[in-house]
Amino acid sequence: MSKHIKLAALIIAVLSIMIFSACNKTEPENVTLETALSVDSSFSGKRTIVCTFPRSIIPANSQQETNLDKVIQKYCPDSLDYTKNISEDSFSYSFQLKFTSATDYIDKVDDITGLQVAVSFSNPDTILASGWKIEENFESSQLLKWIYDGAKQENFDGFDFNIKETKTTAALGDDVHTSEPMIKVNNLSGYPIEKIVIDTVNKKNSVYDRTFIFTISQTTFDKLGSKVSDYFKNITDNSASSADWILENNAYLYTVKFTDVSLKELEGYTNKLLSSVYSDIAYEDKSKGSTPLAEQNCFYETLDFSNYVGNNNGNVPVEYSYSVSGSAELGECMIYKDCEWTPATDLLDTNIYGKKVAIKNSDSLLQLKITDGKQYTASSIDIKVTSPDNDTIQKSITFRYDIATGGNEASDYTKSYFDNLNIGAVQSVENAQNTCTITFSGTDTEINSVISTIFGNNNNISHSYTNPSMTLRTLRQFTDSIDFSSILTGKNADTPVNYYVTVQSGDIIKSLTAEKSSKSENSAAESSAEFSDDGKGTYCIRLNNAVTDVKFDISVPNTADIVIFSIFAVLIVAAAIALIFLFKNKKVFTSLPQSEQNKVFSDKNNKLAKRERNNRK
């Protein structure tokens, strides 16, 4: 019995020690961040970030502290000022970012973080709202990521800290509010806007239509009277094609339309109606996805709705739609949220895939991008190469489109694509086809630098020549690596590509082959090994693979050697004639009688003696 009692006592003692230890166990310390953002009504101000390192994480006078100091001194962005403070149980770095406007602030944070930063800020004092509001889409820890990147660059260990953002504040003047690490402060109040509708039509050719609809309840409208209509009249640009109030379903709808305006004008009119301190709008090929056969652009926009309040002083519900005129198709609408692009999921019933994007938004800030594109079908692509001398190559590429299937539009697009690259292109009409041709002349290196920019680095041409001394012809050997995989996609996957080689008069083409490149992903596709001859010095081969190595050899007359050989031939012939003449004269002389031969020798001797006497005189 006593054994059982002792065992039980032992178990209880062990459990007590474990429980006591667990209760007194302390969590490991973290590196802490404290952030204070302070602005005035024009969004001029500063952001201060204090990063504190406990000595339990980085001991005093340690190599780790030395490495951290080195990283901060070397990699701290120019827009951040910093100071170091040391205490007994920790040390801290204080970083300060100063800015003069929302645009200046966003540009600097963009440069530091590499993110697509956006800030929503308002400080209205209008008939509809008063107070202030600020929201951001990033955290302070992201402003210090360069420390980790710098340590990695220097191969320093021990920088995998646990960071905890312990305090974040935002202030407008003396009005300070505590916030989450991703700053969100709403100190607005006022009369609610029930809904804002924005409809945009991209009409191409750099013109746009946009319609705004602000919905206000009849109760609010009746209470505010003419003040609300005067307010909207003042923030509506005079360039609006129409601006009207309509009573519908117990609500007043203020509808404003802008027609055929530029992108810059569109941004200005939008900012004025939303009273935004910052916005961004662009329509371009930022991703460089366009090719000579396919147009791809992206519409980017950042909208700030924080100058208005919704019900219960919350955010205003927004319905946003976007479409493109013509035959271009829209891609997916992406929303930037929590520092990443994600597909829009809150779609409206009016959303039409490929034709119209229509989404809902319930945040103060809307940051979106919508791609659109169109592929043009080429009937064929012709590559023509000629080489007038040992150092120069001329290469042209012609895109052909059938007139009956939109060739004019396709050719115009291809030319505009090359114009944007500052590459001259020539258009023409040949045999019911629109064509667009680019031509390059120069050395291998000069041509490759341009071709690779258009079609990728796998495109290059090279040549060498064999010229043994005292031969009549030079053998020039060419290799042209073609990689059209970026353009021969979709409708153009089967577009024929013809490769032409033109030789000069007197040149002889010894071989012309096209082989599937080792870089090709399509192991089944092979190019034709046969080529045709037009009888006028031009040879053609059809390429059956988007990634192909074309090889051809040209035998060229060696003019210098031919001249030398000709001179030698003339000299040899002349020598032969002289020998024949001498031999013939000798034969005639020996056939004379001895007395006549003696007379000839006597005459020659007399002449030599006379010449010698004259020389002595």
Side-chain angles (χ1 to χ4, degrees):
M1 185 69 178
S2 60
K3 290 183 179 179
H4 292 293
I5 293 174
K6 289 180 180 179
L7 180 60
L10 180 61
I11 293 172
I12 292 171
V14 172
L15 290 173
S16 298
I17 292 171
M18 293 174 64
I19 293 171
F20 180 78
S21 298
C23 292
N24 287 275
K25 185 178 180 180
T26 57
E27 294 185 3
E29 290 189 274
N30 296 309
V31 176
T32 60
L33 284 184
E34 292 188 6
T35 298
L37 176 65
S38 177
V39 299
D40 61 17
S41 58
S42 67
F43 209 87
S44 174
K46 63 183 180 181
R47 184 188 189 107
T48 303
I49 305 171
V50 179
C51 188
T52 302
F53 300 86
R55 285 302 181 189
S56 59
I57 295 178
I58 300 183
N61 302 318
S62 64
Q63 185 62 46
Q64 193 178 7
E65 182 175 359
T66 301
N67 290 344
L68 177 62
D69 293 342
K70 289 180 179 178
V71 168
I72 290 175
Q73 291 169 10
K74 183 175 181 179
Y75 292 97
C76 183
D78 293 338
S79 54
L80 284 178
D81 298 322
Y82 68 88
T83 57
K84 183 179 181 180
N85 300 294
I86 302 174
S87 63
E88 184 178 347
D89 57 355
S90 66
F91 70 95
S92 64
Y93 270 98
S94 178
F95 301 94
Q96 191 172 91
L97 175 67
K98 297 179 181 179
F99 47 90
T100 57
S101 65
T103 300
D104 183 37
Y105 178 64
I106 289 170
D107 287 345
K108 288 177 177 177
V109 176
D110 272 347
D111 290 339
I112 295 171
T113 63
L115 302 172
Q116 291 188 287
V117 172
V119 176
S120 169
F121 174 75
S122 65
N123 181 30
D125 185 16
T126 69
I127 188 67
L128 290 173
S130 61
W132 66 284
K133 184 177 184 178
I134 185 170
E135 289 187 13
E136 296 180 339
N137 65 349
F138 63 95
E139 299 180 5
S140 286
S141 59
Q142 292 167 309
L143 279 163
L144 301 181
K145 184 177 177 294
W146 54 269
I147 295 178
Y148 297 96
D149 296 339
K152 186 176 180 181
Q153 190 74 21
E154 299 294 328
N155 294 317
F156 291 155
D157 295 326
F159 281 73
D160 297 328
F161 315 122
N162 288 321
I163 294 182
K164 185 176 182 180
E165 299 198 30
T166 57
K167 185 179 180 181
T168 303
T169 62
L172 175 62
D174 297 329
D175 189 12
V176 182
H177 290 258
T178 302
S179 172
E180 304 169 9
M182 188 175 289
I183 291 177
K184 287 186 179 181
V185 173
N186 183 3
N187 193 33
L188 281 181
S189 61
Y191 293 98
I193 301 290
E194 301 295 325
K195 184 170 64 175
I196 297 176
V197 175
I198 300 177
D199 178 65
T200 306
V201 179
N202 183 347
K203 301 174 76 172
K204 293 292 189 173
N205 299 319
S206 302
V207 293
Y208 299 79
D209 291 348
R210 174 165 280 184
T211 300
F212 294 87
I213 303 175
F214 294 84
T215 301
I216 300 176
S217 69
Q218 186 172 359
T219 302
T220 299
F221 189 90
D222 291 342
K223 187 173 184 178
L224 297 176
S226 61
K227 294 179 181 179
V228 68
S229 56
D230 290 342
Y231 168 78
F232 279 103
K233 181 179 180 181
N234 289 332
I235 63 172
T236 301
D237 194 270
N238 293 330
S239 299
S241 56
S242 65
D244 303 298
W245 286 95
I246 300 173
L247 178 60
E248 186 178 284
N249 298 327
N250 297 320
Y252 279 89
L253 278 61
Y254 180 64
T255 303
V256 184
K257 294 183 178 181
F258 295 95
T259 306
D260 294 338
V261 299
S262 68
L263 202 63
K264 186 175 182 180
E265 291 171 330
L266 188 70
E267 182 180 23
Y269 302 152
T270 301
N271 282 348
K272 192 172 181 180
L273 275 170
L274 298 181
S275 301
S276 304
V277 297
Y278 174 80
S279 68
D280 187 27
I281 192 168
Y283 182 68
E284 56 191 347
D285 184 11
K286 283 187 177 180
S287 62
K288 308 301 180 185
S290 295
T291 73
L293 297 178
E295 180 182 14
Q296 179 174 303
N297 289 299
C298 192
F299 181 82
Y300 299 81
E301 187 162 26
T302 299
L303 294 167
D304 183 2
F305 303 101
S306 63
N307 204 62
Y308 299 104
V309 298
N311 291 320
N312 301 317
N313 294 323
N315 295 328
V316 180
V318 175
E319 295 182 357
Y320 183 98
S321 58
Y322 174 87
S323 58
V324 179
S325 298
S327 56
E329 292 191 358
L330 295 179
E332 198 167 28
C333 175
M334 306 292 286
I335 303 295
Y336 195 72
K337 199 168 185 178
D338 298 330
C339 300
E340 63 179 357
W341 288 103
T342 57
T345 56
D346 201 359
L347 305 177
L348 294 165
D349 293 338
T350 53
N351 188 79
I352 304 173
Y353 181 78
K355 295 300 179 183
K356 184 175 184 178
V357 168
I359 62 172
K360 298 177 184 178
N361 176 70
S362 57
D363 296 326
S364 289
L365 196 68
L366 175 59
Q367 197 171 4
L368 56 80
K369 64 179 181 180
I370 306 167
T371 58
D372 69 72
K374 181 178 181 180
Q375 188 176 46
Y376 299 94
T377 305
S379 57
S380 67
I381 300 174
D382 296 341
I383 304 171
K384 297 182 179 181
V385 174
T386 185
S387 183
D389 56 55
N390 284 343
D391 298 317
T392 306
I393 296 174
Q394 181 173 300
K395 185 173 184 178
S396 68
I397 303 174
T398 300
F399 298 85
R400 297 183 176 276
Y401 308 95
D402 292 334
I403 293 177
T405 56
N408 188 55
E409 180 186 358
S411 178
D412 287 345
Y413 164 72
T414 302
K415 185 177 188 307
S416 68
Y417 174 85
F418 290 121
D419 287 345
N420 289 334
L421 295 175
N422 295 319
I423 297 173
V426 177
Q427 292 177 283
S428 64
V429 178
E430 304 172 5
N431 301 322
Q433 289 185 326
N434 293 100
T435 69
C436 184
T437 302
I438 52 175
T439 303
F440 313 97
S441 294
T443 63
D444 299 357
T445 302
E446 291 169 342
I447 291 178
N448 292 338
S449 66
V450 181
I451 295 292
S452 61
T453 300
I454 305 170
F455 303 108
N457 292 328
N458 289 336
N459 291 271
N460 59 81
I461 189 169
S462 62
H463 80 288
S464 60
Y465 54 90
T466 304
N467 185 21
S469 60
M470 301 305 291
T471 59
L472 296 181
R473 303 190 73 84
T474 296
L475 184 64
R476 305 180 66 196
Q477 298 171 306
F478 296 78
T479 298
D480 195 355
S481 296
I482 309 294
D483 184 355
F484 280 0
S485 58
S486 63
I487 65 172
L488 297 182
T489 61
K491 298 175 182 178
N492 289 300
D494 297 323
T495 297
V497 178
N498 303 309
Y499 195 100
Y500 296 88
V501 178
T502 300
V503 297
Q504 307 296 313
S505 177
D507 295 353
I508 301 171
I509 190 160
K510 305 293 288 186
S511 66
L512 173 58
T513 62
E515 301 174 353
K516 176 178 63 65
S517 171
S518 59
K519 299 174 183 178
S520 174
E521 296 179 358
N522 186 354
S523 59
E526 294 287 348
S527 293
S528 171
E530 298 180 359
F531 62 90
S532 59
D533 177 8
D534 68 352
K536 299 178 182 179
T538 297
Y539 303 80
C540 176
I541 193 168
R542 173 70 58 84
L543 310 186
N544 295 328
N545 193 49
V547 186
T548 305
D549 288 337
V550 179
K551 298 180 180 182
F552 56 95
D553 298 339
I554 301 176
S555 177
V556 181
N558 192 337
T559 305
D561 288 348
I562 290 174
V563 171
I564 293 172
F565 273 107
S566 298
I567 293 172
F568 275 124
V570 170
L571 291 174
I572 290 171
V573 170
I577 293 172
L579 288 172
I580 292 171
F581 180 78
L582 289 173
F583 179 77
K584 183 177 181 181
N585 287 342
K586 184 177 180 181
K587 189 174 181 181
V588 171
F589 178 76
T590 55
S591 65
L592 294 173
Q594 186 63 43
S595 59
E596 291 294 328
Q597 291 183 27
N598 292 335
K599 184 179 179 180
V600 171
F601 281 122
S602 177
D603 291 342
K604 284 186 178 181
N605 290 333
N606 291 333
K607 288 180 181 180
L608 289 173
K610 185 177 181 181
R611 184 182 299 169
E612 186 175 351
R613 285 194 301 271
N614 291 335
N615 289 338
R616 287 176 182 176
K617 292 178 182 180

